[in-house]
Amino acid sequence: MLIVKKFGGSSVANPERIFNVARRCIEDYNAGNDVVVVLSAMGDTTDDLIALAKKINPNPQKREMDMLMSTGEQISVALMSMAMNALGVRSISLNAFQVAMHTTSAYGSARLKRIDSERIRRELDDRKIVLVTGFQGVNKYDDVTTLGRGGSDTTAVAIAAALHADACEIYTDVDGVYTCDPRVVPNARKLKEITYDEMLDLATLGAGVLHNRCVELARKYGVEIVVRSSLNNSEGTIVKEVTKVERMLVSGVALDKDADRISLIGLQNQPGVAFKVFDLLAKANINIDVILQSIGRDETKDISFTLPDDRVDDAVEILNANKERLKFDKLDVEKDIVKLSIVGSGMMSNPGVAAKMFEALYNANINLNMICTSEIRVTVLIDAKDAQRAAQAVHDAFGLED
Amino acid sequence: MLIVKKFGGSSVANPERIFNVARRCIEDYNAGNDVVVVLSAMGDTTDDLIALAKKINPNPQKREMDMLMSTGEQISVALMSMAMNALGVRSISLNAFQVAMHTTSAYGSARLKRIDSERIRRELDDRKIVLVTGFQGVNKYDDVTTLGRGGSDTTAVAIAAALHADACEIYTDVDGVYTCDPRVVPNARKLKEITYDEMLDLATLGAGVLHNRCVELARKYGVEIVVRSSLNNSEGTIVKEVTKVERMLVSGVALDKDADRISLIGLQNQPGVAFKVFDLLAKANINIDVILQSIGRDETKDISFTLPDDRVDDAVEILNANKERLKFDKLDVEKDIVKLSIVGSGMMSNPGVAAKMFEALYNANINLNMICTSEIRVTVLIDAKDAQRAAQAVHDAFGLED
């Protein structure tokens, strides 16, 4: 079997942990498998390098940041190879140049294009464990790029796809995907399986286990991902195309605490209003999440939207600066809110799921600020103070603890 | 003019020093020159990485050590580019893959074979300062190598040769090559010029300004090196083929404190004895420096040799373990000795230089343990306690202070 395993920065933060990871990989190797290991930079290395760069230039060139940052993973793979050597097992470290990890040119947020798997194959055929730097690539100019957030997970999935691996295991600090965050809903249950689409919605909505880029790539190439804990041996959650014959109605409850809401009240009820608002924000590189526009009444309409809380002040400033042009009466900001969502691919063929969620929230006396649905999810905005109670109520209503 | 400048680790040890180097390079750039800068790893980075590796594996694979170590220079060049950017000047960092710095395969002590100067040229044509990682290369397996001691100096000379640079400036913590170490002989004088051969002998004998590999490469390709201080603007010393019509009799006095002496007394006076001794030591990778074999008397002869003091204990152990085979009476070790040498290309055509040195040492009442000469140098072994007095006496005798 060919297994790709990915470990994050905290799993290789010090020599002791490096040896723990080495032993785990060697177990698979000794069982006769081909093993490729993708690693992130050790613990705080990335933050330390960023801090050093900022001391020299508060606004460094993106190309040079990538050149700088990519050293972190190279240190990890070299040290891991030394650990495996100390344990008597042959291994080899490879960086993005050596793997020929081709990406687009966008420094800091490059996307993978193509991997020449030839070198990895050759080293595997030579019965070595192959250690690959995550998060980094090389663009058409022969320059170093990095993949941005979730980059190492994406590297692992891409390698698994290129090598037609039998398994792609992503090791995290949780031991799988849960029906809800166990810190919020104590009886949340670990899922054995989940579909790509469900995982994508959970990832986007703040479940925070896998980055959605990595899940999208896995779906595209049909790579089955296993999310497992780096701290114990429990089985984890498998992310794949179809989980069972009968899809689950609701597979999980996600809570996103990073969202704030802005409402523009009393906009003119005419075409082009929404375009003007969101074009302004897009130009400032502000990502908008849920958008809700009221049905126009009389001469005016309202637009509300959520966005990450670290960009709210920027957005408010831009909108107020353009108040004359946009012609709104009032701008309203709500920071003490959270986004609560239920996700499940079974929803598509089961009407009444949203109603059941609203009923549970009504029974718990929780007010809904905003509602937004897609084919496989229902999202509501509620007051932050109600978050825990609301998540528990919805989790109970759908019987997810079983 | 095309100028290659090389700065060592202490010159880029912190953001302040990085900016100092950046400003120096920008001066040349703003004067209309093409500027290539070769950098070593920042300050203690290399030592820190070695310490980290040793924690994981006391005997790490050389290939992986090179993979690890090469990150140090990559950090330096990326940060330097950010500093230049902060100062408003365009620059680009390049690592060994990007420069196509081809070396032999020997990890940890690779030798440069070929540089594809195309990428550097292109960036220079684009009016960028080009920042190149010193000390590292890529071998035919597409693996990272390092060049060993003096590696970054060698990188600089190799790039200067490949680009047919007009100048190759090596910045050090001294401001040139002196007639002797100024800490030993206070009135030592800085040389304006010195030949490659003289510099080679001075380097080998412990003057410690330039590594001999770099000087050899410079001689081979006729690259003029300027040794300058990174701390001030003084003119430095030029190392080149012919310095003046009349060559200097003696250009400098070198003192090497790292040497120890081993003597094997009473070896059999027959062929093959020296071979057996030095073959044993070579197999243990112990470098021997000066060798002196006495003229055979009766049935026996003696062999003495010097070697670096960190390998003496190994050598003694090996020799004693083979005492039966080598058939010597006694092994003698002398650790409190130093090697004092005079170097000068004018010596070749001037008999009596050695005698003048011996006279000066005799007048100063200094005992000579061993003598060894080549065409352009005379080396004596003396007691460590006499080192300073001896160096001063010889320096005075040849009038080097003028």
Side-chain angles (χ1 to χ4, degrees), chain A residues 22 31 64 77 87 106 118 130 145 147 189 204 210 212 217 244 259-260 335 362 364 367 373 385 397:
Chain A
E64 299 300 337
V77 289
L87 296 171
E118 188 266 334
V130 178
T145 56
L147 307 182
R189 185 173 49 83
T204 313
L210 286 182
N212 54 3
L217 196 70
K244 13 197 122 119
D260 289 355
K335 293 193 173 184
Y362 171 70
N367 190 41
T373 65
K385 67 175 170 45

Side-chain angles (χ1 to χ4, degrees), chain A residues 57 64 82 93 119 142-143, chain B residues 57 64 82 93 119 143:
Chain A
N57 189 334
E64 299 300 337
M82 294 175 193
S93 69
R119 174 82 192 253
D142 215 17
D143 284 342
Chain B
N57 190 335
E64 299 300 337
M82 293 176 194
S93 69
R119 174 82 191 253
D143 283 342

Side-chain angles (χ1 to χ4, degrees), chain B residues 177-211:
Chain B
V177 182
Y178 278 75
T179 52
C180 193
D181 185 338
R183 287 166 303 187
V184 177
V185 173
N187 59 351
R189 185 172 48 83
K190 189 170 72 183
L191 294 165
K192 277 198 168 169
E193 297 181 339
I194 187 169
T195 66
Y196 296 121
D197 287 343
E198 288 170 337
M199 191 66 223
L200 272 176
D201 265 323
L202 282 173
T204 313
L205 298 173
V209 179
L210 286 183
H211 199 271

Side-chain angles (χ1 to χ4, degrees), chain A residues 14-15 18-19 42 49 52-61 63-68 70-72 74-87 89 91-95 97-98 119 122-123 133 141-144, chain B residues 14-15 18-19 42 49 52-61 63-68 70-72 74-87 89 91-95 97-98 119 122-123 133 141-144:
Chain A
N14 58 47
I18 288 176
F19 273 105
M42 292 170 74
L49 288 173
L52 190 56
K54 296 277 175 188
K55 263 193 213 166
I56 287 174
N57 189 334
N59 194 17
Q61 312 102 287
R63 179 195 182 274
E64 299 300 337
M65 275 307 278
D66 284 0
M67 188 79 167
L68 181 70
S70 65
T71 59
Q74 191 163 325
I75 290 173
S76 295
V77 289
L79 292 175
M80 183 60 73
S81 181
M82 294 175 193
M84 289 180 171
N85 176 267
L87 296 171
V89 171
S91 65
I92 189 162
S93 69
L94 298 175
N95 66 19
F97 285 95
Q98 294 165 327
R119 174 82 192 253
R122 189 151 36 91
E123 303 293 353
T133 51
Y141 307 111
D142 215 17
D143 284 342
V144 180
Chain B
N14 57 47
I18 288 176
F19 272 104
M42 292 170 74
L49 288 174
L52 189 56
K54 296 279 174 187
K55 263 193 213 166
I56 286 173
N57 190 335
N59 194 17
Q61 312 103 286
R63 179 195 183 274
E64 299 300 337
M65 274 308 278
D66 284 0
M67 188 78 168
L68 181 69
S70 65
T71 60
Q74 190 163 326
I75 291 172
S76 295
V77 291
L79 292 175
M80 183 60 74
S81 181
M82 293 176 194
M84 291 182 170
N85 176 266
L87 297 171
V89 170
S91 65
I92 189 162
S93 69
L94 298 176
N95 65 19
F97 284 96
Q98 293 165 329
R119 174 82 191 253
R122 189 150 36 90
E123 303 293 353
T133 50
Y141 306 112
D142 214 19
D143 283 342
V144 180

